[in-house]
Every structure is written in C-alpha cells, then in structure tokens.
Amino acid sequence: MQPASVAQRDEHKEQLAETTQLDVARGDFHCAVIEGLSRQRKSLPPQYFYDARGSELFEDITRLPEYYQTRTEAAILSAHAAEITENIASDGVLVEFGSGSSLKTEMLLAELAPGVAYVPIDVSASALDEARARLAHRFPHIGVHPIAGTFSRVVPLPTELSARPRTGFFPGSTIGNFTPADAIALLRTFQKTLKANSSLIIGIDLKKDARQLVLAYNDSAGVTAAFNLNILARINRELGAAIDLSTFRHEAVFDPRQGRIEMHLVSAIAQDVCIGGLKFRFARGESIHTENSYKYTVADFSELASTANWTTRRVWRDDAQQFAVIELTSAVAQS
C-alpha cells in the first residue's frame, strides 16, 4: 500500500476534525436536552432550533405578514446604512455575531471603504461558506474572514486582524432571547471579543401592543408552530427518540410582568418520552418552555447595556416605533 500524500493526510485531518466537531455538537445537544427536560419546569435552549430544517423555517417566518421584525429592521438598516457605518475606518473590522446568511449585513458592507475586514461568526459552517462565496463576488474590496463557532464565548480574531479597531454587529433582536442577566453576560462577552474602544450595533424589538406581539408568534399559516415543533423532530433525528409530534402543540403567550413573549410546546396528553434510555413523564397540559423574546424601551435597554459597561451613542427607529437599531460604545475591555 502506498503511503498517503500530504494532501490526502490533510484531507483526512479535516474530515476527522469535522467529524469530531459533529460529535461534540451532538453531545452538547444531548446534554442540554437531558438537563432541560429533567427540570421541574421543563425547557429546551432556543439555540437548538437552528439545525438545517429549523433555519429554513425561520427564513420562512421572516417573510410572514405577521412577523414585522425582520422587514422593519431591514428598512432601518437600508435607510441609515451610511450613517450607521460612518465611524468604521478603512482599517476597521466588522464582526457579526450569529451571522447566518449575512443578507442584512450586505446593506452595511455596501457602505464600507476598501480595506475593511468582515468577520462573520456562526455555528453553521455551510452558511459561512455560502456567505463567503457570495460576498467575495459582490464586495471584492472587503476581506471576509469567517469563524465557525458560538458567539456566547470569547472569539479570538485572526492574528492579522488583532490590532485593528473593531465594530460588532448583532441584528435581529436576538438579544431579546436572553434573560436580562444572560443578556448582560453576553454583552460583556462581546466586549471581550471586540476589545477596548469598540462599538456594537445591535437590534432590539420595542415594547408594543400585546395583541400584535402574540400574532407575530402565532402566525395563521402555522410556520412558527412548525419551527417550534422542529426541535422535537431534531431530538428524534439526532438522539434516537420517538416523540409523537402530533401530541404536542405550539403556544406563544405574552407575559406582561416579564415584558416578554414565551414560546412553549404543550403536551396534549399524559405521556412518557424516552430519550437515550431515560424516561421523561409529561402530564396533560404540561409544557416545555422553548424560547423567550424580551421587548424593551430604548431607555430600558440602555440601562441594561450600561451594566455591562456599554454606553448608548445613537439610536435609529422606524416611523411606527416598532424596532430600534442602537449603537453602543465601550472604552474599556472586560478582564
């Protein structure tokens, strides 16, 4: 047998690394499911919505007439892109946390000077590859440096970018999926990734009439319900469970005390669910809490951000005051 070439060995190493990453991710998912369903009030972490099917369903959600957030934020970014990016220097780095397809980001990239680097961070390597190919064609003057990973931990940037000024981008009101305490912790993590004298451009969904909020998460076409139920389908696919999805229903409610939408999966019957040899008992009407979506006023969010040593510099809103894009600045890096 002939020895493997250097190229073959490198390919084998890459395949092994990809397999290892998949095993680690599957192990993390398994642990999160077991831990969440073992709680007195069952829950599942919302980041696990986004497998390939979940990502497709979420893209469908963003096009629904009831779901105003995506198109409203896109309109704000389109109208104010030049102003939003005016402080990003030609040697700057735009770091996007949870970049996905990077479609919204194109509005900002179109305004950036040659020499700016763009660093999209996302858990989906395929989404990063697709975005890099598209952006390299459309914006050849901007260097694209994708990083596969989670933004909930400090992310080291490539060495060649380490000394350059950084601006973070976190659109989509994703910050609302975190409890206030966890949102503060995340903002501190962003600060560590971005370093001192940085800026963060972030989207937040503003407080509004509860009926409009509930409709946005209970669309008439049932797409959000399918998105919510897909996490159970993922448990079946990846963890070898046999959950009957027809015995669970999607529910989204507004909690005025917490100022948040809550999404749940409610068991229609009393049943046992088996995952990896473990049995989880559900009473009829018992729910799995799958997601929160906190709504803020600009003043409330600015106060929360200040706890993490971020200062609100500028705010852009739509005319109907439904959504806001906020520029935060930080003069210090968290140790």
Side-chain angles (χ1 to χ4, degrees), residues 8-285:
Q8 288 174 324
R9 289 198 300 269
D10 288 344
E11 182 180 354
H12 293 161
K13 288 179 182 178
E14 290 177 2
Q15 291 173 344
L16 178 60
E18 289 176 0
T19 301
T20 302
Q21 288 175 347
L22 287 172
D23 289 341
V24 170
R26 187 171 289 112
D28 289 346
F29 180 43
H30 181 266
C31 291
V33 168
I34 298 305
E35 195 276 332
L37 296 185
S38 299
R39 294 179 179 178
Q40 185 174 2
R41 297 188 65 186
K42 295 179 176 66
S43 65
L44 291 171
Q47 64 263 35
Y48 293 110
F49 279 135
Y50 299 97
D51 63 346
R53 178 56 180 155
S55 297
E56 290 174 358
L57 286 166
F58 184 73
E59 289 298 320
D60 291 340
I61 288 171
T62 65
R63 293 187 284 268
L64 293 169
E66 298 96 333
Y67 196 81
Y68 58 88
Q69 290 98 315
T70 300
R71 62 178 175 270
T72 305
E73 182 182 39
I76 294 170
L77 294 173
S78 177
H80 302 284
E83 186 180 357
I84 291 170
T85 59
E86 65 184 3
N87 293 322
I88 301 178
S90 59
D91 65 340
V93 180
L94 181 65
V95 180
E96 182 170 4
F97 301 102
S99 55
S101 63
S102 299
L103 289 173
K104 287 179 186 173
T105 322
E106 291 192 16
M107 302 176 199
L108 304 187
L109 296 178
E111 301 293 335
L112 297 180
V116 173
Y118 171 53
V119 178
I121 302 169
D122 200 87
V123 294
S124 172
S126 60
L128 290 170
D129 288 341
E130 292 171 8
R132 175 167 54 181
R134 188 184 75 251
L135 297 174
H137 175 73
R138 183 172 177 193
F139 305 105
H141 61 288
I142 292 176
V144 182
H145 306 262
I147 296 177
T150 174
F151 57 71
S152 60
R153 302 187 183 99
V154 179
V155 179
L157 267 58
T159 304
E160 65 270 26
L161 305 178
S162 60
R164 296 168 64 170
R166 306 174 186 184
T167 298
F169 186 41
F170 194 43
S173 71
T174 306
I175 194 69
N177 297 143
F178 295 82
T179 66
D182 288 341
I184 291 168
L186 184 64
L187 290 172
R188 287 176 173 154
T189 298
F190 287 171
Q191 199 169 56
K192 292 176 183 177
T193 294
L194 297 172
K195 306 298 184 182
N197 300 311
S198 58
S199 298
L200 175 64
I201 299 160
I202 187 167
I204 64 167
D205 195 15
L206 298 175
K207 289 185 176 180
K208 56 183 65 67
D209 181 78
R211 289 170 295 183
Q212 182 182 3
L213 289 171
V214 171
L215 284 173
Y217 295 85
N218 285 288
D219 62 277
S220 58
V223 181
T224 308
F227 174 71
N228 200 5
L229 286 161
N230 182 66
I231 198 169
L232 299 183
R234 182 177 181 183
I235 292 172
N236 286 346
R237 287 192 300 268
E238 297 185 21
L239 304 184
I243 303 169
D244 183 353
L245 271 61
S246 70
T247 64
F248 284 86
R249 61 177 172 83
H250 163 74
E251 182 177 84
V253 296
F254 181 67
D255 182 343
R257 293 178 303 167
Q258 300 278 0
R260 70 189 188 191
I261 285 282
E262 294 182 1
M263 292 213 313
H264 295 263
L265 291 167
V266 182
S267 180
I269 60 173
Q271 61 179 308
D272 292 333
V273 168
C274 294
I275 303 172
L278 297 175
K279 183 184 293 185
F280 301 93
R281 180 150 295 175
F282 285 82
R284 181 181 179 182

